[in-house]
Amino acid sequence: QLTDTDTRFTNNASFVGGALFLVGSGSRTLRRVTLSGNTGVSGGGGLYSSSALLIENSTISGNRTTSTDQSFSAGGGMAMFLPGVTTIRNSTISGNTTATRGGGIFSEGTTSLFNVTVAGNTSAAGGAGLHASLLTITLTNSLLSGNQRAGVAQNCFSTNPATIPSTGYNLSDDATCTLLTQPTDKNNMPAMIGPLADNGGPTRTHALLPGGAALNGGNATTCPTSDQRGFGRQGVCDIGAFEFGGAAPVPSALRAGVRVERPTALHGAVPPVRAVLPLGGATGDRRGAAVGADVVLKLQ
């Protein structure tokens, strides 16, 4: 098994799989990875995979396929084929495009999406957001918004007998995801998301805007404890990769133990904050605090 962590694949070009071409019996994990601006003539502008693949806390954006030959060209962002099994969690598929099918994701294998945002992808011939062929793309806690086929809204498209089933707690802002029929699904409802941007964390995301239907619409028992950025999910989690009001992670340097002192300011003046590091040990070594020692922040 190979794992890519905190890696960027940008502005690459290839006939198949603009940035990554994954085949064989092994497996690949992409974690906190960005695939952006890549071009594939044929399948998979960002990546092509027929292997076992896990994608977590990653963004696949602005990739494209250019061939207009529908016999082999598909998947502006990603193209997955048999016998591959793909799982995507806490990730964003955004702004990818194809001259044929599957602007965001084209899948002929088995694909599962958990807390994924699929937004603003385009295609010329089919499946602007998701295009399922042969097998299934299963949706859980996922958000689909603003995907367009030839200028017409199309978040989902499946070829018989392929389906795009729901296990609940999904949101689509058009009516093309016809199997979002669970009581907890929100079909043909406004998504209310911001543009793809740096909203904190290592990869770009679409922020949820106040008042949107995705807020508190997820399944608290299956949502990850943090969103794509690493921000903690709050209460009943939100649908998609982004948690509105999520708690920013505590810097690792502070997790060892921080004591914050807030003395009363003298004469009403609040002086600037200065970090004061403790002594390194009983001998008075001032090279820095030992691991696990407190850091004291004082107003001085």
Side-chain angles (χ1 to χ4, degrees), residues 242-275:
F242 182 95
E243 182 75 10
F244 182 83
V250 177
S252 58
L254 301 182
R255 281 197 291 268
V258 179
R259 185 169 73 255
V260 179
E261 296 183 357
R262 299 180 182 276
T264 303
L266 299 177
H267 308 295
V270 180
V273 176
R274 185 176 64 164

Side-chain angles (χ1 to χ4, degrees), residues 42-117:
S42 183
L47 70 86
Y48 172 108
S49 177
S50 60
S51 300
L53 176 63
L54 171 63
I55 300 174
E56 294 181 322
N57 300 83
S58 296
T59 294
I60 298 173
S61 66
N63 305 286
R64 62 176 183 154
T65 58
T66 58
S67 174
T68 58
D69 187 345
Q70 292 193 41
S71 64
F72 65 86
S73 178
M78 309 168 57
M80 284 83 74
F81 294 89
L82 293 171
V85 174
T86 301
T87 300
I88 308 175
R89 295 193 186 102
N90 253 358
S91 294
T92 297
I93 315 295
S94 175
N96 303 285
T97 187
T98 181
T100 56
R101 306 163 292 163
I105 296 175
F106 176 89
S107 179
E108 284 191 351
T110 299
T111 301
S112 299
L113 275 55
F114 300 90
N115 284 94
V116 174
T117 296

Side-chain angles (χ1 to χ4, degrees), residues 202-226:
T203 52
R204 296 196 298 167
T205 53
H206 287 278
L208 298 180
L209 302 180
L215 301 181
N216 300 323
N219 184 349
T221 64
T222 59
C223 278
T225 57
S226 60

Side-chain angles (χ1 to χ4, degrees), residues 166-191:
S166 165
T167 64
Y169 303 91
N170 301 291
L171 168 64
S172 171
D173 69 357
D174 67 24
T176 62
C177 300
T178 57
L179 292 181
L180 297 192
T181 57
Q182 301 292 333
T184 54
D185 286 329
K186 302 176 186 294
N187 206 359
N188 201 22
M189 297 181 65

Side-chain angles (χ1 to χ4, degrees), residues 121-123 127-129 144-157 172-177 188:
N121 302 283
T122 60
S123 70
L144 298 101
S145 174
N147 302 288
Q148 293 195 339
R149 171 189 175 182
V152 178
Q154 190 182 68
N155 288 330
C156 299
F157 180 83
S172 171
D173 69 357
D174 67 24
T176 62
C177 300
N188 201 22

